[in-house]
Amino acid sequence: MDDLARKHQNMAKISAAILYGICVSIALNFFWEEGGVYASGITGFAQFIHTVTGRFMPFTLSTSLMIFLLNVPLFIIAWFKIGHHFTIYTFIAVVFSSIMVQIMPLTQLTTNPIICAIFGGVINGFGTGTALKNDISTGGLDIIGIVLRKKTGRSVGTINIIFNVILVFAAGFIFGWEHALYSILSIFVNGKVIDMVYTRQQKMQVMIITDNPKVVIQMIQDEMRRGITIVHDVEGAYNREEKTMLFTVISRFEMHDLEAVMKKADDHAFVSITEAVKIMGHFYEAKIK
């Protein structure tokens, strides 16, 4: 059974890597290149190098080649700081995306830079978020973002935005501020879509009012590995019945698991879930391998 689950997980990761390669190649060759928009992260830096070498040097380094070469040192960081399996699947995602960017033909759907910025950001953000959701990375700032998130608690999408501001200002200074502003729009959209899809880093505070605290606590701890704070002798204002209040914090990714647990443990419990602005202290996150 474990072997079957592992094979299913591996296939999901490979599928996510392939999906990302398709998404980034469509975003780049259908929208960003045609609209004069720079992508986020290593892809944008690869575009920047391609443009600089093409304009100011006697040779041109292709975007697809630079996507791979710029990721090589980051593979080393991921191998030692994140995990071996994570790095292997990230390598697959980067190689496949480099190949897809090279072979995908440039297609002019529109030259409107705003449309190109928005749709390029949405498509690439979806591919990146799906990869991260399956515990793999698309390379580049994703790796840096994951490492820094462990230390700072900032979301991956937010870290992407911060890093990319520097790239956009460099591109704007050399090639023009109009397209730099469109690139900022695309990077912002890309980061927000990543956060919408990759929900594992988003924390939710859960309040549970229950008549069966022992069962609820046991099931949450067994199936979700979450710590719980217990408040005894809570009284309901309507029936004046004594109940128990439980507090815990989960990721948005775990909301479906919580719903399943509560249906089994206490289907009549009152559950309130709110977004946690900031978490201080220890919050368990499964280790990426």
Side-chain angles (χ1 to χ4, degrees):
M1 194 70 176
D2 290 340
D3 290 339
L4 182 62
R6 193 176 298 109
K7 288 180 181 178
H8 176 75
Q9 189 178 49
N10 291 340
M11 286 301 299
K13 290 183 177 182
I14 292 173
S15 298
I18 293 172
L19 176 63
Y20 167 71
I22 295 171
C23 286
V24 70
S25 60
I26 291 174
L28 190 63
N29 292 343
F30 285 30
F31 296 103
W32 287 329
E33 288 289 347
E34 295 300 325
V37 177
Y38 282 93
S40 63
I42 291 298
T43 303
F45 192 33
Q47 285 179 276
F48 181 77
I49 294 174
H50 171 74
T51 307
V52 168
T53 56
R55 290 192 183 185
F56 305 113
M57 295 184 183
F59 59 88
T60 302
L61 295 173
S62 70
T63 301
S64 58
L65 175 63
M66 293 312 303
I67 288 173
F68 177 77
L69 293 180
L70 291 170
N71 273 289
V72 171
L74 298 171
F75 292 146
I76 299 172
I77 295 174
W79 184 268
F80 290 105
K81 294 291 186 181
I82 301 177
H84 295 172
H85 285 92
F86 173 88
T87 306
I88 291 169
Y89 285 110
T90 298
F91 180 81
I92 294 172
V94 171
V95 170
F96 186 76
S97 64
S98 299
I99 294 171
M100 287 299 297
V101 168
Q102 182 65 32
I103 66 176
M104 182 76 72
L106 288 171
T107 304
Q108 189 180 81
L109 298 180
T110 177
T111 56
N112 185 311
I114 295 179
I115 294 176
C116 290
I118 293 173
F119 278 87
V122 169
I123 293 170
N124 186 75
F126 175 76
T128 303
T130 301
L132 290 170
K133 194 173 183 178
N134 284 276
D135 289 335
I136 66 173
S137 165
T138 59
L141 293 184
D142 298 339
I143 293 172
I144 297 173
I146 290 171
V147 172
L148 291 181
R149 184 168 62 86
K150 290 181 177 181
K151 295 182 179 295
T152 66
R154 300 296 297 274
S155 73
V156 173
T158 302
I159 291 170
N160 259 322
I161 292 172
I162 293 171
F163 272 90
N164 282 301
V165 166
I166 300 171
L167 171 64
V168 168
F169 270 96
F173 183 77
I174 297 174
F175 305 118
W177 293 108
E178 182 179 0
H179 288 283
L181 294 174
Y182 296 137
S183 299
I184 291 174
L185 172 62
S186 184
I187 289 169
F188 178 80
V189 171
N190 182 73
K192 290 302 179 183
V193 174
I194 289 173
D195 282 344
M196 288 174 61
V197 177
Y198 180 52
T199 56
R200 193 165 295 179
Q201 83 275 13
Q202 298 174 27
K203 307 301 186 295
M204 312 297 292
Q205 180 176 283
V206 181
M207 180 185 70
I208 303 169
I209 310 296
T210 178
D211 293 320
N212 302 305
K214 291 183 179 180
V215 178
V216 174
I217 292 169
Q218 189 66 45
M219 290 196 69
I220 290 177
Q221 290 180 334
D222 289 347
E223 299 191 23
M224 299 180 63
R225 196 174 174 177
R226 290 294 168 213
I228 299 171
T229 299
I230 306 170
V231 181
H232 294 289
D233 302 326
V234 176
E235 183 178 325
Y238 183 73
N239 292 324
R240 299 294 178 181
E241 295 178 350
E242 286 192 2
K243 297 180 182 290
T244 301
M245 182 184 297
L246 307 176
F247 284 100
T248 188
V249 175
I250 64 173
S251 66
R252 188 180 291 273
F253 183 75
E254 296 172 307
M255 285 183 63
H256 177 74
D257 295 335
L258 178 69
E259 291 176 6
V261 165
M262 291 308 303
K263 284 183 180 179
K264 293 179 184 177
D266 186 358
D267 195 28
H268 298 289
F270 176 82
V271 181
S272 174
I273 303 174
T274 57
E275 185 172 346
V277 176
K278 186 175 182 178
I279 299 297
M280 300 177 67
H282 178 69
F283 181 82
Y284 170 78
E285 292 188 78
K287 185 178 179 182
I288 299 174
K289 301 179 179 179

